[in-house]
Amino acid sequence: MSDSLLKQPVHWVDSDAELERLCDSWQNTKLLALDTEFIRTSTYYPIAGLLQLNDGQATYLVDPTCIDDWYPLIELLDDKQRIIAMHACSEDLEVLQQCLGCIPAQIFDTQVAIAFAGGAASMGYAALVEQELGLALPKAETRSDWLQRPLSKAQLMYAALDVEYLFELAQLLFARLEQQHKLDWVLEDARRQYRQFKANQQGRQAVDRIKNSWKLIPRKLAALQRLADWRENLAQMDDVPRNRVIKEGALYELALSMPKHISQLRKIEGISDRIVRKHGEHIVELIAGVEALPDDQLPEPLPKPLNKSEREKLQALRAFINAQADNLAVAPELIFRKKDCERILRLAAAESWQPLEAMLQGWREQQLGSALRQFLKEL
């Protein structure tokens, strides 16, 4: 089945010289499709198993286990004049950052593009290919071992199909968005995604993923932040999943109880003897450091969940956003997601307009800025 779906030749790239020759041939190419296959089951960082590229004429499967010099590809991806088509690319960007040390400067995400073109948000790749191209792609190799060598014929076909049709989808959606005068919106959001990804590499807010953080008073919240940062750094250093170091619930309980002695750690659910032996002294010292902080160095409390009145306002705001999305023929999530809407409500209630202005830059400002401000004033 996969063989019959492939229309273009497939080339295996497993040397620095071949990769350099290939990148040289693409110097004047304005659009490339890119995908990755990787493994991330027992590590913090994804391990690249394959990089797939398509230039509209052929597919190239790059074996990262054989490449030492990535500079030609880095230079290619870093060119803002070249558009790199990807699909739902957040994990692929992590793979590229880890493998190459860079991400594409100009991304065209087909999952985002179809939502701007009037389609559903968060559409999967196979569903998009079927909707737009009328083809059913095989899914059997999605979770296969991409680090094995040699890769099976089924894996090679699966990987090649991903980028062959990705290039075709990108061209199709590119033209549709140009016709709808929305292409600039997509590329603007891609540049924002690029900046956000780069900013996250400088220091993630590790505490954001821990539930119930809002319940903590400032000193305990400071402890949670330091504990979460410690876990993040340790997971990165040892290249293991965060929960392999210590689970979120145990971090929260540590911040809540603020233990002063190593013996108290053993009373906390989720703190194993191994953690106590290996990291107990550091955990207690970290918490003691927080206890010694002056009040003016403590973080602000996190906002509480919305109350009934605020939830009603949130519902009204989301209805407003949905109406605006209908007028623009885009998915509502592209304007503001639920989390963004909650933040907008809090900013409006506090009459903190400067952060709101930052959220309304570009096409959002042009298309609904004044209407949103008026709505918030009347809400």
Side-chain angles (χ1 to χ4, degrees), residues 176-220:
R176 188 180 302 170
L177 288 163
E178 277 191 314
Q179 188 177 23
Q180 296 176 357
H181 305 292
K182 296 176 186 173
L183 180 59
D184 287 344
W185 303 2
V186 177
L187 297 179
E188 176 191 315
D189 274 20
R191 290 189 290 272
R192 177 181 295 188
Q193 180 185 18
Y194 176 89
R195 292 192 298 270
Q196 185 62 50
F197 184 90
K198 287 294 187 182
N200 286 344
Q201 302 308 302
Q202 302 304 314
R204 301 183 180 187
Q205 297 297 315
V207 76
D208 289 350
R209 61 176 58 88
I210 299 175
K211 294 179 180 179
N212 296 323
S213 302
W214 63 271
K215 294 182 179 180
L216 298 175
I217 61 174
R219 194 167 298 278
K220 294 179 186 293

Side-chain angles (χ1 to χ4, degrees), residues 119-134:
S122 303
M123 184 178 291
Y125 180 68
L128 181 58
V129 170
E130 187 166 6
Q131 173 183 292
E132 297 297 323
L133 305 178

Side-chain angles (χ1 to χ4, degrees), residues 29 39 45 128 160 196 244 264 314 323 340 344:
T29 301
I39 296 291
Y45 296 106
L128 181 58
Q196 185 62 50
R244 186 76 62 85
Q264 294 174 290
L314 176 63
D340 297 322
I344 288 170

Side-chain angles (χ1 to χ4, degrees), residues 72-309:
L73 184 57
I74 292 170
E75 189 176 40
L76 203 74
L77 298 181
D78 201 41
D79 186 348
K80 294 182 177 64
Q81 302 306 310
R82 183 175 297 102
I83 293 176
I84 306 299
M86 307 175 77
H87 184 87
C89 63
S90 59
E91 288 189 309
D92 296 305
L93 295 183
E94 290 189 65
V95 175
L96 293 173
Q97 182 66 39
Q98 179 63 17
C99 185
L100 281 67
C102 81
I103 65 171
Q106 186 60 273
I107 299 164
F108 183 79
D109 191 324
T110 52
Q111 186 180 70
V112 175
I114 189 61
F116 269 106
S122 303
M123 184 178 291
Y125 180 68
L128 181 58
V129 170
E130 187 166 6
Q131 173 183 292
E132 297 297 323
L133 305 178
L135 298 169
L137 295 181
K139 304 177 183 178
E141 301 302 323
T142 305
R143 301 296 179 187
S144 65
D145 181 4
W146 291 100
L147 301 182
Q148 70 176 4
R149 291 296 183 271
L151 294 174
S152 69
K153 183 178 179 181
Q155 286 177 303
L156 295 173
M157 292 304 102
Y158 172 90
L161 284 170
D162 266 3
V163 284
E164 179 174 319
Y165 290 109
L166 179 58
F167 190 96
E168 188 174 347
L169 282 172
Q171 287 186 312
L172 184 153
L173 292 172
F174 206 92
R176 188 180 302 170
L177 288 163
E178 277 191 314
Q179 188 177 23
Q180 296 176 357
H181 305 292
K182 296 176 186 173
L183 180 59
D184 287 344
W185 303 2
V186 177
L187 297 179
E188 176 191 315
D189 274 20
R191 290 189 290 272
R192 177 181 295 188
Q193 180 185 18
Y194 176 89
R195 292 192 298 270
Q196 185 62 50
F197 184 90
K198 287 294 187 182
N200 286 344
Q201 302 308 302
Q202 302 304 314
R204 301 183 180 187
Q205 297 297 315
V207 76
D208 289 350
R209 61 176 58 88
I210 299 175
K211 294 179 180 179
N212 296 323
S213 302
W214 63 271
K215 294 182 179 180
L216 298 175
I217 61 174
R219 194 167 298 278
K220 294 179 186 293
L221 180 60
L224 182 62
Q225 289 174 339
R226 291 198 178 186
L227 287 164
D229 286 339
W230 161 74
R231 182 184 71 157
E232 195 81 7
N233 292 333
L234 192 59
Q236 292 176 3
M237 185 170 60
D238 292 346
D239 194 18
V240 297
R242 297 179 188 92
N243 281 338
R244 186 76 62 85
V245 177
I246 186 171
K247 293 184 178 180
E248 274 87 355
L251 283 183
Y252 181 83
E253 291 301 321
L254 280 170
L256 194 62
S257 61
M258 301 282 282
K260 294 180 172 59
H261 305 288
I262 291 178
S263 60
Q264 294 174 290
L265 298 179
R266 291 186 170 88
K267 300 177 183 179
I268 298 175
E269 186 177 355
I271 304 294
S272 66
D273 288 340
R274 181 187 62 82
I275 293 174
V276 175
R277 288 194 308 271
K278 195 170 183 180
H279 304 293
E281 185 175 343
H282 181 76
I283 291 172
V284 170
E285 288 177 355
L286 186 152
I287 292 171
V290 174
E291 291 281 23
L293 286 175
D295 290 346
D296 61 2
Q297 291 184 25
L298 298 177
E300 292 291 323
L302 296 178
K304 297 179 180 179
L306 301 180
N307 58 34
K308 181 179 178 181
S309 173

Side-chain angles (χ1 to χ4, degrees), residues 5-17:
L5 288 171
L6 278 174
K7 301 175 183 176
Q8 298 174 354
V10 179
H11 303 282
W12 183 256
V13 180
D14 59 1
S15 72
D16 291 348

